[in-house]
Amino acid sequence: MNLSRRMFAKGMLATTAMFAFASSLPKALLAAYNKEAFESNKMADAMKAYYGTAETTESDQIKITAPNIAENGAVVPISISSEIDGAESISIFVENNPTPLIGSFILLGAKQNISTRIKMAKTSNLYAVVKAKGKLYATHQEIKVTIGGCGG
Amino acid sequence: MKYLILTWALLLTSAVAFAADVNPEQDRQAYQKHFTEAFKEVPLKEFTNGVYAIDPEGRAQWEAIEEFPPYEIAIEKGETEWNTPFANGKTYQSCFKWPVAEGLRQHYPYFDAERKMVVTLERALNECREANGEEAFGWKKGKLVDLSAYVSFQSRGKLIKVQIEGADAKAAYAEGKQFYYAKRGQLNMSCADCHIYNAGNNVRADVLSPGLGHPSHFPVYRSKWDAMGSLHRRFGGCNNNIRAKPFKAQGKEYSNLEFFLTYMSNGLPYNGPGARK
Amino acid sequence: MKRFSLLLLSAMVLTLGACETKKKEADKPMVTKAKVGSVDCNKETFDKYIGEAEAALAKARSVGHEWVNTAKEIDTAKELAGQGRFDEACKDAHAGLLQGVMAYRQYEDNKNAGPRF
Amino acid sequence: MADKIRIRARQDQGVVEVKALMEHPMETGQRKDKKGNKIPAHFIQTVTAKANGKVVFEAYWGGAISKNPYLAFEYNGKSGDQVELVAVDNQGQTFNGSTKVR
């Protein structure tokens, strides 16, 4: 009895802590996860769901650092950097993935330089889209995903 | 009884006669010479990076992963395990005469003359558990491999220096060597076919890695596995690739193979754990 | 001997490049199947084949040269025989037998394997 | 609670580079297990980064970020800044980690 009460109290504490933590997160963030965009099966649909438009301007001020041939489609290291004035976010789309929107990175004071590792189902164009002052800028690179031999 | 003694005597003489032909040091020099000549631009030490010593496209991706490699999670978990006492209050350290901070990996594999068998680091760790009344962990992945990752990390930079002394050790080495060069499986290929004679060539999109340095960086986080795995797990994968039935991890075959293969890389530094595609 | 190397060679050609991703294809040793054509098969002949196949596999296994699919081939053969599908069962038993024999030959050919550089 | 996020942060000429590694399966919900059953989706959806309590970076993710996610970003800051990361996955689990900028 004593034990279970202690456990209960502990559980309560943890829950309270979590709530306190969650409420300290910016409201905007919790509201902003765009399920529709992340679940869209076509890149244009995902873009429309996310930005309200799929129209982008090609820009050479965005740089993608990614392999031409991925060693393993499950772990493709990529970096995106850009020098577009007033950039608010950088988003990554992989055209041939089942759900093309991979992730969106919101630069709330952060610099235009992010890195992560992504999954790619097959050979595809990877698009980096930068939103700045209400406009969308994009560049892309093809990444080949091949069937491995024996690997590593 | 008489027969038994006779058989033993015969076996012993044949083992000795066999061992007389075994010259590991000569083998090692020839082996290393082959790779340094085949890949003139690659410094000897670089071979510990496997395929990334010779494949620039793969190397760039590997370096990006090394920025914050997933095996760090394994090292951390292994450290916690290492520092957690057994039920009897003793620790892993009590089983080893060398402090872990100075590295243990460089003392393995070794030939235990009394038991007439190759003892790998993973075996020593599990035997330590059993000696202290704990159950052994699985050999190929999970907790034992985390532990091995932590221990191996402490040995980074220490040189590989496998020793082969006595007829029995030489026999184990010779068996490992024969295994390495023997063709197996439905594809009729040997370890050497891929990792010596075709190192640097492609199997589909994969560049075959040079055999020199292979055992230096295990255990590895392999993207294909999405997890950590031991050297013997990888051996099993290779055998399966050539459609040969894999042997048991830590069995005689793979232990002797590890003994031979590690000896071939004597003089190179340990750099495990590693990250591979 | 010549026939064996020929078989082995064609087995290699067929399965090469199927390193691991195309498991399904590699699971079926096309060569051996193609080779076996029409065998008059019934319970009696099947029992003979499967016995030989198991012996060949045991022999290959005893020297550490078991191939990855042989045991599966034999199991499938038994399953098919259990369903009375003897024609197919015999083909699989034959495939198992051939693999076991080739695997042992492989062992013999590689007893003294060593470097060539 | 739950597993922590491992973070490294170092400053060079006024720019802090933050690198993080999170332990997470990142299941897309599209994979099947050996028995052919779908493995339920389980992936981090949001990551929030704060420097000295102020949000400097956010990320929204789908299931196509690799297992054990890696994330690196930069912001204008200084040594000694307290960097804190919070990740929340689609099952409502929260992960966090923090470090002092070197």
Side-chain angles (χ1 to χ4, degrees):
Chain A
M1 183 61 210
N2 222 352
L3 185 76
S4 62
R5 193 192 293 158
R6 245 190 17 233
M7 275 169 67
F8 178 72
K10 224 170 142 188
M12 275 298 285
L13 260 172
T15 321
T16 327
M18 209 178 88
F19 267 103
F21 201 55
S23 61
S24 74
L25 289 176
K27 281 257 158 51
L29 174 82
L30 290 173
Y33 188 80
N34 191 325
K35 204 161 176 282
E36 194 194 338
F38 276 103
E39 286 176 1
S40 294
N41 303 116
K42 292 214 169 65
M43 198 171 103
D45 295 345
M47 289 185 74
K48 267 179 217 149
Y50 195 64
Y51 298 114
T53 172
E55 269 173 45
T56 59
T57 309
E58 190 74 19
S59 169
D60 57 8
Q61 287 182 292
I62 308 170
K63 196 177 154 233
I64 299 171
T65 308
N68 293 314
I69 302 170
E71 274 205 295
N72 185 325
V75 188
V76 185
I78 56 157
S79 294
I80 315 284
S81 63
S82 87
E83 291 170 351
I84 294 171
D85 196 33
E88 298 153 28
S89 70
I90 299 173
S91 301
I92 302 162
F93 296 84
V94 171
E95 198 170 16
N96 293 342
N97 262 18
T99 49
L101 177 54
I102 306 295
S104 188
F105 302 83
I106 318 297
L107 314 168
L108 303 158
K111 313 202 57 100
Q112 303 177 47
N113 189 3
I114 59 112
S115 303
T116 188
R117 298 166 191 157
I118 67 167
K119 299 175 203 167
M120 289 183 63
K122 53 184 166 190
T123 298
S124 175
N125 279 323
L126 177 139
Y127 285 82
V129 180
V130 174
K131 187 180 177 190
K133 296 176 182 165
K135 273 194 78 180
L136 300 179
Y137 302 89
T139 190
H140 68 275
Q141 178 189 323
E142 190 190 48
I143 300 174
K144 285 198 174 73
V145 178
T146 52
I147 299 166
C150 304
Chain B
M1 190 61 201
K2 236 183 209 169
Y3 278 121
L4 204 72
I5 295 170
L6 202 74
T7 326
W8 268 112
L10 263 171
L11 271 173
L12 217 67
T13 35
S14 63
V16 171
F18 189 37
D21 303 332
V22 178
N23 192 336
E25 194 44 28
Q26 200 178 309
D27 289 352
R28 185 186 70 87
Q29 282 169 15
Y31 189 89
Q32 297 199 357
K33 188 166 162 252
H34 169 81
F35 287 105
T36 46
E37 280 177 2
F39 303 99
K40 281 206 168 61
E41 69 290 359
V42 178
L44 185 64
K45 217 182 113 180
E46 261 299 311
F47 283 100
T48 57
N49 292 326
V51 76
Y52 306 123
I54 59 169
D55 173 17
E57 177 86 32
R59 189 181 182 102
Q61 294 172 63
W62 171 66
E63 283 175 349
I65 286 168
E66 281 285 330
E67 287 282 332
F68 215 143
Y71 59 68
E72 287 198 11
I73 298 169
I75 294 176
E76 224 172 85
K77 285 182 177 171
E79 183 174 11
T80 307
E81 176 62 32
W82 178 269
N83 291 321
T84 307
F86 302 123
N88 67 7
K90 287 194 188 171
T91 60
Y92 285 98
Q93 184 63 71
S94 72
C95 301
F96 297 88
K97 54 183 168 184
W98 316 276
V100 69
E102 286 169 24
L104 302 175
R105 172 62 82 180
Q106 71 271 24
H107 301 291
Y108 296 88
Y110 77 94
F111 193 82
D112 184 329
E114 256 170 55
R115 289 194 286 167
K116 294 194 197 318
M117 67 186 288
V118 171
V119 178
T120 64
L121 172 64
E122 284 78 8
R123 174 174 290 282
L125 288 165
N126 246 350
E127 284 181 349
C128 177
R129 292 185 57 76
E130 285 175 321
N132 285 287
E134 305 282 333
E135 262 183 51
F137 289 139
W139 290 120
K140 293 192 285 191
K141 49 187 171 182
K143 288 186 171 175
L144 183 68
V145 174
D146 290 347
L147 204 52
S148 161
Y150 166 68
V151 170
S152 301
F153 185 63
Q154 311 304 316
S155 289
R156 277 194 174 183
K158 296 281 195 307
L159 299 185
I160 300 174
K161 46 158 196 188
V162 176
Q163 282 161 34
I164 299 168
E165 282 158 7
D168 292 326
K170 281 191 176 176
Y173 165 87
E175 279 185 45
K177 178 181 168 186
Q178 191 271 344
F179 188 106
Y180 193 75
Y181 291 103
K183 292 175 185 295
R184 320 189 96 76
Q186 205 162 359
L187 297 195
N188 200 36
M189 289 167 94
S190 67
C191 307
D193 281 338
C194 282
H195 297 292
I196 294 182
Y197 313 123
N198 281 300
N201 291 342
N202 278 60
V203 172
R204 292 200 177 176
D206 285 336
V207 179
L208 288 165
S209 56
L212 180 58
H214 263 170
S216 75
H217 47 267
F218 277 83
V220 297
Y221 185 97
R222 200 166 171 233
S223 302
K224 194 185 152 181
W225 293 332
D226 253 352
M228 297 290 296
S230 65
L231 180 59
H232 290 206
R233 183 179 180 188
R234 190 69 187 95
F235 284 161
C238 273
N239 274 163
N240 200 54
N241 287 160
I242 56 165
R243 318 305 299 152
K245 185 163 187 204
F247 293 88
K248 281 205 174 89
Q250 299 298 326
K252 194 179 171 211
E253 293 84 1
Y254 286 168
S255 296
N256 288 346
L257 177 61
E258 178 176 342
F259 193 48
F260 161 78
L261 194 61
T262 314
Y263 189 90
M264 287 299 101
S265 288
N266 264 7
L268 271 65
Y270 280 105
N271 59 340
R276 290 295 181 272
K277 60 183 147 188
Chain C
M1 177 62 209
K2 213 173 181 182
R3 203 159 138 213
F4 270 126
S5 359
L6 213 82
L7 276 171
L8 211 61
L9 196 74
S10 35
M12 278 175 65
V13 171
L14 280 167
T15 32
L16 248 170
C19 208
E20 63 185 322
T21 36
K22 289 197 173 174
K23 277 200 180 115
K24 278 201 180 120
E25 271 176 39
D27 279 349
K28 303 208 165 138
M30 306 169 205
V31 184
T32 46
K33 280 207 170 152
K35 193 71 208 148
V36 179
S38 64
V39 187
D40 209 28
C41 214
N42 52 42
K43 171 131 184 28
E44 213 170 291
T45 43
F46 173 76
D47 284 348
K48 181 174 164 286
Y49 283 140
I50 204 74
E52 285 175 9
E54 282 179 328
L57 171 61
K59 201 173 163 194
R61 183 181 283 162
S62 73
V63 292
H65 271 260
E66 181 179 352
W67 292 2
V68 84
N69 292 318
T70 318
K72 225 182 287 167
E73 209 72 60
I74 290 172
D75 285 347
T76 314
K78 284 180 177 170
E79 219 180 286
L80 289 165
Q83 296 165 10
R85 295 156 69 182
F86 285 108
D87 269 0
E88 296 157 83
C90 277
K91 278 184 191 172
D92 280 346
H94 232 286
L97 169 62
L98 228 53
Q99 287 189 19
V101 170
M102 288 202 288
Y104 189 79
R105 160 118 305 162
Q106 188 180 49
Y107 153 75
E108 289 195 313
D109 288 349
N110 286 277
K111 261 185 203 165
N112 300 311
R116 41 179 171 91
F117 40 59
Chain D
M1 84 166 272
D3 286 311
K4 66 177 183 166
I5 300 174
R6 293 153 180 85
I7 309 173
R8 280 184 206 142
R10 56 187 306 177
Q11 179 268 147
D12 185 30
Q13 297 178 358
V15 176
V16 174
E17 186 186 31
V18 181
K19 293 176 184 170
L21 188 71
M22 309 166 201
E23 193 180 353
H24 202 282
M26 297 303 283
E27 278 297 343
T28 57
Q30 289 156 355
R31 291 203 315 160
K32 284 178 181 164
D33 64 15
K34 279 175 190 162
K35 287 177 188 156
N37 302 319
K38 268 202 173 176
I39 303 170
H42 188 199
F43 56 89
I44 292 173
Q45 287 185 321
T46 62
V47 183
T48 307
K50 289 184 200 171
N52 297 330
K54 183 175 169 278
V55 177
V56 291
F57 183 78
E58 286 172 359
Y60 307 133
W61 289 347
I65 298 290
S66 302
K67 180 181 175 180
N68 297 331
Y70 169 73
L71 173 67
F73 65 92
E74 296 172 342
Y75 73 94
N76 291 321
K78 57 188 189 309
S79 295
D81 280 0
Q82 189 70 24
V83 173
E84 184 190 8
L85 259 67
V86 185
V88 184
D89 71 21
N90 67 324
Q91 298 181 359
Q93 282 176 289
T94 304
F95 307 83
N96 59 66
S98 66
T99 193
K100 240 189 184 73
V101 176
R102 280 196 295 138

